[in-house]
């Protein structure tokens, strides 16, 4: 699904190293990319793969790699280079339980890694968190567009559950790479022009300072233009659940289960995790009494929620780490506890 | 003017077009500057400058894009051959080469080196073996000789304690994707001429779509060897070649030299 979306979005280069639960993607692309004149390489490691991506994007291709949590850890140096060199690329992470080798169950424990840089240096990675197959297809196009527009690596963050879900999808119109605007910084030989160099090492501290300021300005633009979120039934809600990805879908079912019993509950779903929809959540929290955070982790997005909400509303948290996927009934139990304040499921976060 | 004929000047030596008119930061007597010049001359003579994309390493040659007069891209330490693979597969009609030190190519980047070579990537590699980590100040390299003093081998490299020096060129030769590997040196006029011939041949392998080719260059690092440039040349010629004998290691090209 993600594979076909990538090809339709004009991706012509993929390199990756097998890791469960995302092998369907490279397996699909290994046959599909050659059909459209693209290149598939099974790299010897995640490190090699991300570096192949650096080469391919520098030479002008829309390029993508993918992995799952431990493999994404290995790619971090390369992602930092992409950010420093200002090269576009798309990285898909199908998260699994961790730390260490962890397990292959759907988890969402890589939020910190995805949104806090992951690699070294003062940089940011736009992170898109679709919550279903249709959105995943659209986000794949968006990921390549944001990458090209801002010359930045972009991460698509999903979980194992999404990787295994089958849903009907309508793909956006295919993009022919030839129709994309030509990037004027790529390396294609210096015929008829001055040679170009792409690098991230800037030894002069003043120039490095300027480069950091330039990146910062770009990140501010991305925050202003690309922040995305969704709300369901938040108007007049007393409690608002904050959840992303698959967790948001489970939360939605839980809210439906509780409908008509007790106070009105809405859903706030960040779609970009960086930039986090801080302002939007903040203004929403002015009008609700309780914010209920639900994550497949021990509490990572929670920190962004705390920074957004502060003491404007009471914050409750229910996080299930390790790859366990709670049922809608369990999440409904959490929401009932949030309502009654009995503390049976989840806990109150004191700010 | 008398009736004497005007003097005619003919240019017999100059800067290759593929080298920019910049001072390098290389130390006096360093092999890197010689290797740069040889690479530039070969690229000029083969008419490749305008279709070349070079990938320098992290190491003393990290700033090579300030010296070479064609497109270049920095690679993370050890990853030039993975990155070059991404380039070459995207633009197969371009000429792509990597330029790497021994730490870059034979320690941190060993996996990338072996697999790119084994895939038979149509890439040419210039491998600078100076038996030391130059850029970081003289620590042990994978190629440091037994007995050689580095800042992390006090008393000299000991096989049992630090491991043996690695001969990556011979290791690569067993890969079927590799068509040509030769070891040359940069410490003497004869040696330098031979190195140039080898580099050019390695480049031809790519142009003729034969496979992966690599030239290893034994390269003096007077600074971290704590020698004068002259002593460093002598050390290459008398000592280093015993561990790394010069000559062709693999050649399935069928080229007549
Ligand atoms: C990931 C990473 N690890 C370590 C370094 C530090 N480092 C830079 S160059 C280098 C070794 C260079 O030695 P070599 O490859 O032999 O090249 P030379 O400088 O001798 O030409 C090291 C360890 C780095 N830049 N990145
Ligand atoms: S430290 Fe050694 S390798 Fe580096 S520039 Fe100086 S002589 Fe050359």
């Amino acid at each position: 699904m993600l594979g076909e979306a990538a090809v339709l979005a004009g991706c012509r280069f993929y390199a990756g190293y097998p890791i469960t639960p995302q092998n369907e993607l490279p397996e699909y692309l290994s046959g599909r990319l050659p059909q459209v004149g693209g290149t598939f390489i099974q790299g010897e490691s995640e490190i090699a793969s991300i570096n192949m991506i650096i080469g391919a994007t520098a030479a002008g291709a829309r390029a993508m790699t993918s992995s799952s949590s431990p493999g994404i850890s290995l790619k971090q140096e390369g992602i930092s280079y992409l950010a420093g060199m200002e090269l576009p690329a798309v990285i898909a992470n199908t998260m699994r339980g961790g730390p260490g080798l962890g397990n292959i169950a759907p988890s969402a424990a890589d939020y910190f890694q995805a949104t806090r840089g992951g690699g070294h240096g003062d940089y940011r990675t736009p992170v898109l968190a679709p919550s279903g197959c249709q959105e995943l297809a659209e986000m794949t196009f968006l990921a390549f567009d944001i990458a090209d527009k801002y010359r930045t690596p972009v991460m698509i963050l999903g979980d194992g559950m999404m990787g295994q879900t089958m849903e009907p999808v309508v793909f956006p119109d295919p993009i022919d790479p030839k129709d994309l605007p030509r990037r004027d910084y790529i390396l294609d030989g210096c015929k008829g022009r001055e040679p170009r160099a792409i690098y991230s090492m800037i030894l002069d501290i003043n120039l490095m300072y300027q480069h950091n300021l330039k990146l910062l300005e770009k990140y501010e633009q991305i925050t202003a233009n690309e922040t995305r979120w969704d709300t369901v039934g938040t108007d007049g809600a007393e409690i608002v659940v904050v959840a992303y990805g698959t967790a948001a879908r489970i939360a939605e079912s839980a809210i439906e289960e509780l409908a008509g019993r007790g106070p009105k509950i809405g859903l706030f779903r960040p779609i970009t995790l960086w930039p986090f929809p801080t302002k939007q959540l903040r203004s929403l929290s002015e009008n609700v009494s309780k914010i209920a955070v639900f994550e497949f982790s021990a509490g990572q997005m929670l920190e962004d929620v705390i920074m957004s909400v502060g003491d404007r509303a009471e914050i409750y948290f229910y996080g299930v780490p390790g790859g366990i996927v709670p049922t809608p009934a369990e999440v409904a139990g959490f929401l009932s506890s949030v309502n009654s304040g009995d503390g049976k499921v989840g806990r109150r976060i004191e700010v | 003017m008398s009736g004497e004929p005007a003097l005619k000047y003919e240019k017999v030596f100059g800067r290759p077009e593929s080298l920019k008119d910049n001072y390098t930061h290389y130390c006096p007597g360093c092999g890197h500057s010689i290797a740069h010049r040889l690479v530039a001359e070969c690229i000029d003579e083969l008419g490749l400058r305008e279709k070349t994309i070079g990938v320098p390493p992290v190491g003393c040659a990290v700033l090579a894009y300030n010296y070479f007069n064609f497109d270049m891209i920095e690679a993370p330490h050890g990853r030039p051959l993975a990155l070059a693979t991404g380039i070459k597969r995207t633009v197969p009609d371009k000429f792509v080469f990597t330029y790497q030190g021994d730490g870059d190519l034979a320690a941190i980047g060993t996996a990338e080196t072996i697999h790119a070579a084994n895939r038979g990537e149509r890439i040419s590699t210039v491998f600078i073996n100076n038996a030391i980590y130059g850029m970081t100040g003289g620590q042990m390299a994978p190629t440091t000789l037994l007995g050689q003093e580095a800042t992390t081998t006090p008393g000299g490299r000991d096989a049992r304690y630090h491991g043996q020096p690695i001969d990556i060129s011979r290791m690569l030769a067993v890969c079927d994707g590799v068509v040509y590997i030769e070891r040359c040196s940069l410490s003497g006029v004869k040696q330098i001429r031979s190195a140039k011939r080898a580099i050019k041949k390695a480049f031809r392998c790519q142009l003729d779509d034969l496979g992966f080719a690599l030239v290893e260059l034994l390269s003096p690092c007077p600074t971290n060897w704590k020698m004068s440039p002259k002593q460093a040349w002598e050390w290459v010629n008398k000592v280093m070649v015993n561990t790394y004998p010069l000559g062709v290691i693999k050649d399935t090209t069928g080229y007549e030299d």
Side-chain angles (χ1 to χ4, degrees), chain B:
Chain B
M1 292 292 252
S2 68
E4 279 178 52
L7 280 174
K8 270 172 76 183
Y9 291 100
E10 188 191 344
K11 187 167 176 180
V12 293
F13 191 78
R15 176 180 296 280
E17 197 185 359
S18 288
L19 274 189
K20 289 180 182 163
D21 193 2
N22 278 344
Y23 290 109
T24 76
H25 68 285
Y26 299 118
C27 308
C30 174
H32 276 303
S33 6
I34 302 172
H36 278 32
R37 178 160 183 118
L38 298 184
V39 168
E41 286 180 357
C42 291
I43 287 180
D44 278 7
E45 288 165 24
L46 293 167
L48 297 174
R49 193 183 75 87
E50 295 187 327
K51 57 179 265 190
T52 294
I53 303 169
V55 188
V58 175
C60 277
V62 65
L63 286 169
Y65 50 76
N66 285 342
Y67 313 135
F68 284 122
N69 189 27
F70 41 70
D71 281 5
M72 297 205 89
I73 177 167
E74 166 194 281
H77 191 28
R79 319 301 170 205
L81 275 165
L83 205 144
T85 297
I87 299 174
K88 185 69 183 180
R89 296 288 190 107
T90 301
V91 284
D93 57 324
K94 304 297 172 197
F95 176 75
V96 181
F97 79 96
T98 70
Y99 181 107
Q100 303 177 250
D102 42 59
D104 195 83
L105 181 137
I108 191 169
T110 310
E112 286 76 6
T113 303
I114 289 178
H115 286 278
N118 193 54
R119 285 192 303 268
E121 296 295 342
R122 274 36 175 183
I123 296 168
S124 320
T125 292
V126 178
F127 166 34
I128 304 292
N129 180 0
N130 59 14
I132 201 90
Y133 280 11
M135 191 195 204
T136 41
Q139 298 82 9
M140 180 182 75
T143 50
T144 294
L145 306 193
L146 290 180
Q148 186 187 337
E149 282 254 12
T151 58
T152 49
T153 58
R157 183 174 192 164
D158 174 68
R160 184 70 199 278
Y161 194 78
H162 305 104
Q164 293 276 353
I166 198 165
D167 189 339
I168 189 105
S169 291
R170 278 203 307 158
M171 287 169 62
L172 291 173
V174 301
C175 299
D176 284 340
V178 177
V179 292
Y180 172 59
I181 298 189
E182 181 164 351
R183 181 150 49 216
C184 302
S185 114
L186 297 172
S187 50
V189 175
K190 222 175 67 204
Q191 291 90 328
I192 290 171
R193 283 181 189 276
S194 173
K196 180 174 171 184
R197 171 199 47 77
I199 293 171
K200 208 175 204 174
K201 182 164 166 181
F203 287 3
R204 277 180 62 198
C205 295
Q206 178 177 165
L207 300 176
D208 293 341
D209 198 30
L210 298 185
F212 180 81
L214 175 146
V215 177
E216 174 177 343
L217 301 172
L218 305 186
S219 175
C221 172
T223 302
N224 284 302
W225 294 354
K226 302 190 170 50
M227 294 179 192
S228 71
K230 184 155 177 282
Q231 286 170 325
W233 273 32
E234 280 164 13
W235 193 75
V236 172
N237 292 336
K238 296 205 173 101
V239 181
M240 208 174 163
V241 292
N242 297 325
T243 303
Y244 302 109
L246 304 185
V248 174
I249 294 171
K250 180 173 191 179
D251 185 354
T252 60
T253 60
Y255 293 150
E256 286 173 27
D257 278 327

